[in-house]
């Protein structure tokens, strides 16, 4: 069944990646911020059947797949929860400045810089705080290592890194993408229709994602300190330590900080978007390499020097990992790491992976559309649960769907 863009949005399947705008063109679809603090596509002109079918084929709200066949070696490890891995490690950026400024250990930033320095790519597609409106996040093309570093640190609010992705392909230059797992799912979907993706996107690097919050979460922080958005000169979610504080600075010289615990300890205040609650792949299975926080028990116990869990997904990712390690761009700890260590670092991801199949079943029972998934072992993960637990997840999702809590109102610009 082909969904309209409006059905994708109102079904709670849109994450606001922006690829539909790139596919249809900004004259027909424009991604804009809604009053609820979500970046969503606004249909400006009628879409023909071919364009709508293409959007359905690439949208990470309608289709999510695991690792592509043939991208792993015969010796790769495979785990029911975590998927494939050529290598598992704990590491960090060797440059102490990168390690300190980044959200965790700086591995993705260091790899992005290494890709530019080694001339493997011409630029990095990533996101960063808007220079003119620092509460907002915008897509960034980084052509030098300094620009990559400027984009270091988590951006928890809405972001649309793919709004002009087809124009980026038209540059006909090799590049790397550093993004959320859902963004990478989108471009992997597009690669099945457009050979330029595999021709020019040489590497796709992901972070293990806890979900994208609505902008209203950050706007509430401004209200807490009595700051208007137009007064901001800086809004930094994390970094400058691990996890580092959320820091606001104003144009008139005032500064405010919240600890990570102050910002995120109460999950009910996260305002995570609906699509994130039923995400089939928040751990970057279709990436070449995924980096995570290393927090035993699932959360920080204080500040530390900064470490990343590293899951090398593909042979291409392994070549990058080995080369960056040999060049001294990243450092890894000598102790062996297992998938069960990642269970300990990211227990909420284990719970989500085991719960998603039942949640999707509950949504379907309520008549709500769900993404088509392949290669993610969701039903097998659900079998790790008791029947009672799966029924509870499914019934809860059905109730929330029927009440509209896993959907969204029609998208209108703020």
């Amino acid at each position: 069944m082909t969904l309209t863009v409006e059905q994708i949005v109102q079904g709670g399947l849109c994450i606001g990646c922006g690829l539909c705008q790139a596919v249809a063109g900004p004259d027909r679809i424009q991604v804009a911020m809604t009053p609820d603090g979500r970046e969503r596509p606004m249909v400006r002109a009628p879409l023909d059947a071919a364009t709508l079918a293409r959007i359905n084929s690439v949208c990470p709200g309608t289709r999510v797949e695991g690792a592509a066949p043939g991208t792993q070696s015969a010796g790769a490890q495979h785990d029911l929860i975590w998927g494939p891995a050529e290598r598992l490690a704990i590491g960090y950026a060797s440059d102490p400045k990168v390690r300190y400024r980044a959200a965790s250990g700086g591995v993705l930033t260091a790899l992005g810089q290494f890709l530019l320095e080694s001339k493997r790519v011409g630029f990095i597609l990533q996101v960063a705080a808007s220079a003119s409106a620092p509460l907002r996040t915008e897509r960034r093309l980084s052509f030098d290592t300094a620009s990559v570093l400027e984009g270091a640190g988590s951006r928890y609010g809405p972001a649309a890194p793919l709004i002009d992705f087809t124009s980026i392909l038209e540059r006909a230059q090799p590049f790397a993408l550093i993004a959320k797992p859902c963004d990478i799912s989108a471009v992997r979907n597009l690669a099945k229709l457009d050979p330029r993706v595999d021709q020019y996107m040489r590497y796709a690097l992901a972070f293990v994602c806890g979900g994208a919050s609505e902008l209203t979460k950050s706007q509430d922080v401004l209200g807490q300190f009595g700051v208007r958005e137009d007064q901001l000169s800086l809004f930094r979610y994390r970094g400058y330590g691990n996890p580092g504080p959320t820091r606001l600075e104003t144009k008139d010289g005032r500064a405010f900080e919240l600890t990570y615990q102050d910002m995120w300890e109460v999950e009910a205040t996260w305002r995570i978007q609906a699509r994130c609650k039923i995400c089939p792949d928040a751990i970057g299975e279709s990436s070449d390499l995924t980096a995570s926080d290393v927090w035993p028990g699932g959360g920080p116990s204080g500040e530390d020097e900064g470490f990343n869990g590293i899951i090398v997904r593909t042979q291409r990712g392994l070549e990058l990992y080995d080369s960056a390690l040999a060049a001294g761009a990243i450092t890894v700890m000598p102790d062996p790491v297992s998938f069960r260590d990642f269970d300990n670092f990211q227990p909420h991801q284990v719970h989500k992976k085991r719960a998603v199949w039942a949640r999707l079943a509950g949504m379907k029972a309520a008549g709500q559309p769900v993404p088509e998934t392949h290669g993610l072992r969701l039903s097998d993960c659900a079998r790790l649960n008791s029947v009672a637990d799966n029924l509870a997840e499914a019934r809860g999702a059905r109730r929330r769907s029927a009440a509209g809590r896993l959907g969204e109102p029609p998208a209108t610009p703020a």
Side-chain angles (χ1 to χ4, degrees), residues 18 22-23 37 57 64 71 87 98 101 142 149 156 167 186 269 297 349 377 387 402 404:
V23 167
S57 295
V64 185
T71 55
R87 192 75 50 83
V98 174
R101 285 185 57 174
S142 295
L149 184 58
Y156 286 103
S167 296
T269 69
Q349 295 293 353
R377 312 164 308 283
V387 172

Side-chain angles (χ1 to χ4, degrees), residues 225-228 231 233 248-256:
F225 294 113
V227 175
R228 299 194 315 271
Q231 295 175 316
S233 61
L248 294 67
E249 295 179 4
T250 64
K251 297 171 184 175
D252 60 6
R254 291 174 291 156
F256 308 91

Side-chain angles (χ1 to χ4, degrees), residues 139-277:
R139 89 100 171 93
R140 168 83 57 88
L141 300 185
S142 295
F143 294 89
D144 55 56
T145 58
S147 295
V148 175
L149 184 58
E150 286 177 7
S154 299
R155 298 297 299 176
Y156 286 103
L162 307 179
I163 52 171
D164 60 348
F165 192 76
T166 53
S167 296
I168 289 170
L169 294 176
E170 289 168 4
R171 290 173 170 265
Q173 294 178 292
F175 68 95
L177 171 64
I178 300 177
K180 302 188 300 298
C182 53
D183 302 323
I184 293 173
S185 290
V187 296
R188 296 298 195 202
N189 289 340
L190 182 62
K192 297 177 183 298
L193 305 176
D194 190 334
R196 296 177 301 172
V197 177
D198 288 337
Q199 182 179 0
Y200 297 120
M201 190 180 76
R202 302 295 170 82
Y203 302 91
L205 310 180
F207 50 86
V208 171
C209 182
S213 60
E214 298 165 354
L215 190 69
T216 52
K217 165 67 176 174
S218 305
Q219 291 170 330
D220 284 352
V221 174
L222 298 190
Q224 182 177 338
F225 294 113
V227 175
R228 299 194 315 271
E229 186 177 349
D230 63 0
Q231 295 175 316
L232 281 178
S233 61
L234 173 76
F235 192 97
R236 185 173 66 232
Y237 288 93
R238 279 181 59 183
Y240 287 74
N242 180 43
T246 296
R247 183 175 175 84
L248 294 67
E249 295 179 4
T250 64
K251 297 171 184 175
D252 60 6
R254 291 174 291 156
F256 308 91
E257 288 189 352
L258 291 172
T259 67
Y260 182 89
Q261 288 80 359
D262 289 337
M263 184 77 171
W264 301 108
E265 190 168 27
V266 180
E267 187 171 350
T269 69
W270 290 3
R271 301 204 185 165
I272 295 298
Q273 299 182 49
R275 165 64 171 75
C276 303
K277 298 173 184 176

Side-chain angles (χ1 to χ4, degrees), residues 320-340:
L320 170 60
Y321 170 89
D322 285 339
S323 298
L325 191 60
I330 60 173
T331 300
V332 299
M333 308 296 286
D335 296 334
V337 182
S338 72
F339 288 116
R340 304 291 71 81

